[in-house]
Amino acid sequence: MIADRNSWTLTQDTADLRRPAMPSKPVSFDAQPQRVTIDLARTAVVVVDLQNDFCHPDGWLAGIGVDISGAQAPIPVVAALLPRLRAYDVPVVWLNWGNRPDQANLPPGVRHVYDAAGEGNGIGSTSGPSGSPVLQAGSWAAAIVGDLDVEAGDLAIDKYRMSGFVDTPLDSVLRNLRVDTLLFCGVNADQCVLNTLTDAANLGYDVIMIEDAVGTTSPSYCLDATFYNVRQCYGFTTTSQALAQTLAT
């Protein structure tokens, strides 16, 4: 069990508060602004918003006329990378928009982002091509796209903001996993991925964005600025090829 990473050994008479040993699994690979070494035993991969409403032709985003090719681009990269990471017991955390049906925890500013004109076509609406309530927990709209495999040991966390740390158990889960390094994949790189990565860095995690495993429906200059800011202010960027090469050896 994942929870066993952070556990005590108990008997009727004693409590051993030492956590289980986690033998180091160091790997080094090319990154920017410099080459990095991480410990895979203390690493998790966070996959952000690769869900139907953002990435599927029948999803909400495509239904309002957005070109989703940028959101679809990282899907095959992530599909190829995750099995390599799972082989080293790196936890996979799926972080998706999954709102409450009553939207009781959503402030007006969040609802405005998805329904700027107040026409009722945003979060919770069933007016999209699929008829599934937009970004609602438990719906087809919020489900991970079918091109990606979710395995039994993976973790799924619903989020309700651009950052996956606000009003969610993400930080508690990661700390119980005893990880300090986070690899970031998903969409949109310049929005939810960047906001979650920024909060992770501010909370003390080491952060690495995998350039070809993220995408965006924004203009290309937004992606360029995102990579620059990650390297300049928060952590590192690398590629799936650089990471896969070191995992293979």
Side-chain angles (χ1 to χ4, degrees):
M1 290 178 59
I2 288 288
D4 291 341
R5 284 172 166 247
N6 189 21
S7 60
W8 299 338
T9 301
L10 300 173
T11 69
Q12 185 173 359
D13 301 315
T14 64
D16 186 340
L17 307 190
R18 293 173 296 173
R19 271 62 170 176
M22 297 176 63
S24 182
K25 302 175 184 177
V27 295
S28 301
F29 49 90
D30 290 335
Q32 294 188 57
Q34 65 225 91
R35 186 173 175 84
V36 299
T37 299
I38 65 173
D39 184 355
L40 291 175
R42 303 296 298 269
T43 299
V45 56
V46 181
V47 186
V48 183
D49 287 352
L50 289 180
Q51 60 196 94
N52 288 323
D53 256 354
F54 296 136
C55 303
H56 194 282
D58 292 330
W60 171 77
L61 211 56
I64 61 172
V66 175
D67 177 3
I68 62 169
S69 58
Q72 293 175 319
I75 293 174
V77 178
V78 174
L81 181 62
L82 292 187
R84 295 177 180 271
L85 292 169
R86 289 191 186 103
Y88 285 86
D89 297 321
V90 174
V92 176
V93 180
W94 300 94
L95 182 66
N96 282 16
W97 274 96
N99 295 296
R100 293 167 54 102
D102 61 11
Q103 301 178 34
N105 63 330
L106 295 186
V110 172
R111 295 195 295 271
H112 171 264
V113 169
Y114 293 94
D115 185 20
E119 296 174 344
N121 297 321
I123 292 173
S125 166
T126 57
S127 61
S130 70
S132 180
V134 173
L135 300 179
Q136 185 168 298
S139 70
W140 175 89
I144 295 163
V145 290
D147 296 319
L148 294 171
D149 293 327
V150 181
E151 297 199 354
D154 297 350
L155 298 107
I157 294 177
D158 292 331
K159 69 180 181 66
Y160 325 103
R161 304 287 193 278
M162 294 291 175
S163 171
F165 283 98
V166 177
D167 198 23
T168 79
L170 178 59
D171 188 44
S172 296
V173 168
L174 293 173
R175 295 194 188 281
N176 270 318
L177 291 174
R178 297 173 66 195
V179 303
D180 46 41
T181 300
L182 301 178
L183 306 174
F184 282 90
C185 308
V187 297
N188 278 310
D190 54 321
Q191 297 170 17
C192 290
V193 182
L194 180 61
N195 273 268
T196 305
L197 178 149
T198 300
D199 278 353
N202 288 336
L203 287 167
Y205 295 98
D206 302 323
V207 297
I208 302 173
M209 180 178 283
I210 304 174
E211 296 178 24
D212 53 334
V214 298
T216 185
T217 57
S218 303
S220 59
Y221 62 78
C222 296
L223 196 57
D224 294 338
T226 296
F227 293 155
Y228 174 85
N229 282 327
V230 170
R231 300 166 190 153
Q232 182 75 8
C233 302
Y234 304 114
F236 305 86
T237 69
T238 188
T239 66
S240 65
Q241 294 94 330
L243 190 54
Q245 183 176 15
T246 193
L247 294 177
T249 58

